[in-house]
Amino acid sequence: MTAHPGIFLCLFEASVLFFIVNLCIFTNMWPSTQTLTSGVLITAALLVLGACSSGSPLTRHDGSTAPAMANPTDLPQPIQGASSWRPEQTAQWREVRLPGKVPTEYRLVSLGGQSWLRADARRSASLLSQVVDIDVRHHGRIRFDWRIELALHDADVALRDKEDSPVRLMLAFDGDRSEFSTRDAAMSELTQLMTGEPLPYATLMYVWCAKREIGTVVHNPRTDRIRKIVVANPRSAPNGGLVERDIVADYQQAYGRSPGRLIGIAIMSDSDNTKGSARALYGPIEIW
């Protein structure tokens, strides 16, 4: 397993961290983003750590184990340049579990002589992530294949209480974090305290959504640093299929500016908000 969880840990269920951030902001526990590492904030972060992780290894679905959090001094080397991953390789990405959530099951299967990574989400949410370091000015195309076996027709990525998707592909980007709002700066600080890695400057998420039209850009209700683009729905691809995108153009559409370096990639299937079930297949992923 190769990727550090800090890149994607707080992208979905950050309610605990936001509670701490808002508590500190609204009670004036810090006056500016320059004092985010106050004793109160550090103590709060340590309390979150205690609540979210016992320090014991995670048991994966294949029976292997991995530390609950990576050691910040022993981070993996990111993959650079044009890259491609077969399902057998994607299955080895680091599993990132979300505090308080049942993890989605990811396992390799063979269908019609082809390997796929099957995601089985039963009121669950977790992801597989990989650290990269890619200049999208030179390697700005992405192609991925996903197939939906059991869709979530009531889910809506624009509504907090229904924000699930049977398939997601996420890209995390670097950038100037001095542009962060007070809330996002606090989120980044807490993420770094917890995982050794700051919150990504920006995250772009490709999703399948039954309720939204192709091309819809959705801002995450918890942080403006996450934006989703609907690239498939039941009208265009009821069972999924091959998707090819221009990363730079999509980032510009979502954020109104050019992207920085691509620093992380992840897949996720989740059904925790709708309390439903979803099942999907992930095929090869390629960036060139």
Side-chain angles (χ1 to χ4, degrees), residues 175-192:
D176 184 1
R177 290 180 178 81
S178 68
E179 300 174 355
F180 278 1
S181 66
T182 300
R183 173 176 288 188
D184 289 333
M187 277 290 298
S188 183
E189 184 77 11
L190 284 169
T191 304
Q192 186 150 19

Side-chain angles (χ1 to χ4, degrees), residues 129-141:
S129 70
Q130 170 67 51
V131 172
V132 299
D133 180 17
I134 298 174
D135 187 342
V136 294
R137 295 174 302 175
H138 304 299
H139 307 289
R141 305 286 300 184

Side-chain angles (χ1 to χ4, degrees), residues 81-130:
S83 303
S84 62
W85 297 271
R86 301 185 308 275
E88 295 87 348
Q89 296 169 310
T90 309
Q92 298 303 309
W93 290 1
R94 185 177 180 98
E95 181 184 34
V96 181
R97 296 190 178 186
L98 306 175
K101 298 295 183 181
V102 175
T104 294
E105 180 182 353
Y106 297 93
R107 58 190 176 91
L108 283 170
V109 298
S110 179
L111 297 174
Q114 181 177 346
S115 294
W116 297 87
L117 183 62
R118 174 176 280 155
D120 197 353
R122 296 183 291 270
R123 299 188 174 192
S124 62
S126 63
L127 55 146
L128 301 180
S129 70
Q130 170 67 51

Side-chain angles (χ1 to χ4, degrees), residues 29-37 182:
M29 285 186 176
W30 71 73
S32 69
T33 57
Q34 281 69 44
T35 57
L36 292 176
T37 52
T182 300

Side-chain angles (χ1 to χ4, degrees), residues 1-24:
M1 302 299 166
T2 53
H4 182 53
I7 289 178
F8 292 102
L9 175 64
C10 295
L11 298 186
F12 297 96
E13 291 303 326
S15 57
V16 175
L17 296 181
F18 271 127
F19 171 77
I20 295 171
V21 171
N22 289 328
L23 178 65
C24 292

